[in-house]
Amino acid sequence: MQEVYRITRRVAASNASVLILGETGVGKELIASAVHRLSRRSGGPFVRVNCGALSESLLESELFGHVRGAFTGAVANRTGRFEAAHGGTVFLDEINSTSLTLQVKLLRVLQEKEFERVGDTNTLSTDARIVAASNRDLMQEVRAERFREDLYWRLNVVPIEIPPLRRRRDDIPSLVSFFLEHYNEVNDRYVVHMGPGVIEAMQDYHWPGNVRELQNYIERAVVMAETDELTIDVLPGCVTGLSETHDDDEPTAGDFETLAKGLVSRGLSEAGSAAENVHSTIVEQIEREVIAQVLQSCGGVQTKAASRLGINRNTLHKKIKDYGLADDE
């Protein structure tokens, strides 16, 4: 996180585009806001747009504005977010959710600082800095042809990758103190002491929802605490380890690291302590499933699947035959 702060301070002084990467709940909007507040544009507006919350047509109107009569319901001219952010910063959250058509228009705004309102022919200009964020690996999205490569390189001038909370467990005590102070004030409470095992339980938990999940649990604890002490019994069972996990539970979104550990642990358990060559057994099963799912997502086109997997097409063809994923043609 110190490296994240260092890059944030350095890039804030420039007008360069910033791409913030990280899992859901790590605090991408906070870093985007910090880039704006530390910049020479801090006196201008900071305009947020959640690209994943709107359909393509609504998002286009939201970003670029529209003129009266542009579509059904457009009863008056409307200023778009890029126009409203003139002299300030536009934060495009979940940029990976935009369509390829809209990405072409975003690329033009990035390169030319020009756009047209929906239904209008007049070209407008904007002096808005663009900070984008994604909870997915955009290069993988490019390989899957869901994101334009030219837009990726235009956005990725200065990337800032925020690590998930499970990779910075030493931050948990400070975050707990911060959220305790905040929610004590909001709820007129005085929960200031930590009970035995509370911090240890939090540091042992894998936090699939990251900082947002921690924030939610601290708010709940402040509300439920009966004294001035935050005790382990007011934390949810998933944190304390008291809730049971079933094999048929759906995997937690964003928690790939923990899921991978569980798969390997189960594979070793099923193989038995006396089994040999467990590496090949487990890796081959996982590789087979990866190839099968990627091949299916690519419509059975091996060239496309090989590109997405990052392996040679002939190598993929051999693995498909070895794993019995397709009839030998």
Side-chain angles (χ1 to χ4, degrees), residues 159-191:
I160 301 177
E161 184 174 355
I162 307 177
L165 187 57
R166 62 182 172 274
R167 282 175 43 199
R168 46 186 175 109
R169 299 177 191 270
D170 290 343
D171 290 351
I172 290 176
S174 298
L175 289 167
V176 170
S177 297
F178 174 82
F179 290 131
L180 270 179
E181 183 177 347
H182 174 74
Y183 288 113
N184 275 326
E185 183 176 348
V186 168
N187 296 286
D188 193 24
R189 301 297 304 275
Y190 190 70
V191 182

Side-chain angles (χ1 to χ4, degrees), residues 263-294:
L263 286 172
V264 173
S265 176
R266 183 170 178 177
L268 291 173
S269 176
E270 291 184 359
S273 58
E276 297 180 353
N277 203 18
V278 291
H279 177 271
S280 295
T281 303
I282 295 173
V283 170
E284 285 177 5
Q285 288 186 23
I286 294 175
E287 183 182 48
R288 184 187 189 280
E289 187 60 31
V290 169
I291 291 174
Q293 292 196 26
V294 170

Side-chain angles (χ1 to χ4, degrees), residues 11 14-19 110 151-159:
V11 74
S14 70
N15 282 314
S17 299
V18 179
L19 180 60
L110 275 162
L151 179 58
Y152 170 76
W153 292 118
R154 193 65 188 82
L155 286 170
N156 197 33
V157 177
V158 181

Side-chain angles (χ1 to χ4, degrees), residues 225-328:
E226 297 180 354
T227 65
D228 63 352
E229 184 177 71
L230 196 160
T231 55
I232 199 164
D233 61 291
V234 297
L235 295 176
C238 60
V239 176
T240 61
L242 298 179
S243 63
E244 295 183 1
T245 302
H246 302 283
D247 290 341
D248 57 352
D249 285 346
E250 289 292 324
T252 307
D255 188 26
F256 187 77
E257 181 181 341
T258 302
L259 181 61
K261 289 180 180 178
L263 286 172
V264 173
S265 176
R266 183 170 178 177
L268 291 173
S269 176
E270 291 184 359
S273 58
E276 297 180 353
N277 203 18
V278 291
H279 177 271
S280 295
T281 303
I282 295 173
V283 170
E284 285 177 5
Q285 288 186 23
I286 294 175
E287 183 182 48
R288 184 187 189 280
E289 187 60 31
V290 169
I291 291 174
Q293 292 196 26
V294 170
L295 194 63
Q296 183 180 10
S297 69
C298 295
V301 180
Q302 293 186 20
T303 302
K304 187 176 179 181
S307 176
R308 189 175 180 192
L309 289 164
I311 62 177
N312 181 275
R313 185 187 182 282
N314 292 332
T315 302
L316 175 61
H317 184 69
K318 183 177 184 302
K319 288 181 179 292
I320 289 173
K321 291 172 60 180
D322 292 344
Y323 290 138
L325 294 173
D327 293 334
D328 192 5

Side-chain angles (χ1 to χ4, degrees), residues 8-296:
T8 301
R9 287 190 293 265
R10 288 291 299 276
V11 74
S14 70
N15 282 314
S17 299
V18 179
L19 180 60
I20 304 174
L21 302 169
E23 295 178 6
T24 298
V26 294
K28 296 186 288 296
E29 185 173 332
L30 288 175
I31 295 299
S33 177
V35 169
H36 173 72
R37 287 186 287 104
L38 295 172
S39 72
R40 293 188 292 269
R41 297 173 175 268
S42 57
F46 178 66
V47 179
R48 304 168 179 85
V49 183
N50 187 337
C51 299
L54 300 170
S55 65
E56 180 181 356
S57 57
L58 288 176
L59 181 57
E60 183 177 3
S61 173
E62 192 75 16
L63 291 173
F64 306 116
H66 62 253
V67 295
R68 180 181 178 182
F71 50 83
T72 303
V75 296
N77 292 352
R78 179 179 179 180
T79 299
R81 299 297 181 94
F82 281 115
E83 195 173 350
H86 185 78
T89 304
V90 174
F91 174 51
L92 303 177
D93 197 9
E94 295 189 32
I95 188 73
N96 52 283
S97 300
T98 55
S99 67
L100 294 173
T101 302
L102 190 58
Q103 288 169 26
V104 175
K105 299 181 179 181
L106 288 174
L107 181 62
R108 184 188 174 200
V109 177
L110 275 162
Q111 293 185 158
E112 309 296 337
K113 301 293 184 182
E114 293 180 347
F115 63 95
E116 287 88 30
R117 289 179 177 176
V118 177
D120 197 6
T121 57
N122 294 323
T123 299
L124 303 176
S125 61
T126 181
D127 178 30
R129 180 187 197 171
I130 295 181
V131 176
S134 173
N135 57 7
R136 294 188 179 183
D137 186 335
L138 283 187
M139 182 48 73
Q140 288 188 7
E141 296 296 294
V142 169
R143 295 192 187 103
E145 300 181 0
R146 290 190 294 264
F147 200 84
R148 290 181 61 93
E149 186 172 5
D150 48 4
L151 179 58
Y152 170 76
W153 292 118
R154 193 65 188 82
L155 286 170
N156 197 33
V157 177
V158 181
I160 301 177
E161 184 174 355
I162 307 177
L165 187 57
R166 62 182 172 274
R167 282 175 43 199
R168 46 186 175 109
R169 299 177 191 270
D170 290 343
D171 290 351
I172 290 176
S174 298
L175 289 167
V176 170
S177 297
F178 174 82
F179 290 131
L180 270 179
E181 183 177 347
H182 174 74
Y183 288 113
N184 275 326
E185 183 176 348
V186 168
N187 296 286
D188 193 24
R189 301 297 304 275
Y190 190 70
V191 182
V192 293
H193 301 294
M194 289 291 144
V198 169
I199 294 297
E200 290 79 2
M202 290 186 176
Q203 289 183 318
D204 288 340
Y205 182 54
H206 54 272
W207 297 108
N210 292 292
V211 179
R212 186 179 293 128
E213 184 183 8
L214 173 63
Q215 178 180 358
N216 178 61
Y217 291 163
I218 296 302
E219 181 179 13
R220 179 192 304 181
V222 168
V223 172
M224 298 301 295
E226 297 180 354
T227 65
D228 63 352
E229 184 177 71
L230 196 160
T231 55
I232 199 164
D233 61 291
V234 297
L235 295 176
C238 60
V239 176
T240 61
L242 298 179
S243 63
E244 295 183 1
T245 302
H246 302 283
D247 290 341
D248 57 352
D249 285 346
E250 289 292 324
T252 307
D255 188 26
F256 187 77
E257 181 181 341
T258 302
L259 181 61
K261 289 180 180 178
L263 286 172
V264 173
S265 176
R266 183 170 178 177
L268 291 173
S269 176
E270 291 184 359
S273 58
E276 297 180 353
N277 203 18
V278 291
H279 177 271
S280 295
T281 303
I282 295 173
V283 170
E284 285 177 5
Q285 288 186 23
I286 294 175
E287 183 182 48
R288 184 187 189 280
E289 187 60 31
V290 169
I291 291 174
Q293 292 196 26
V294 170
L295 194 63
Q296 183 180 10

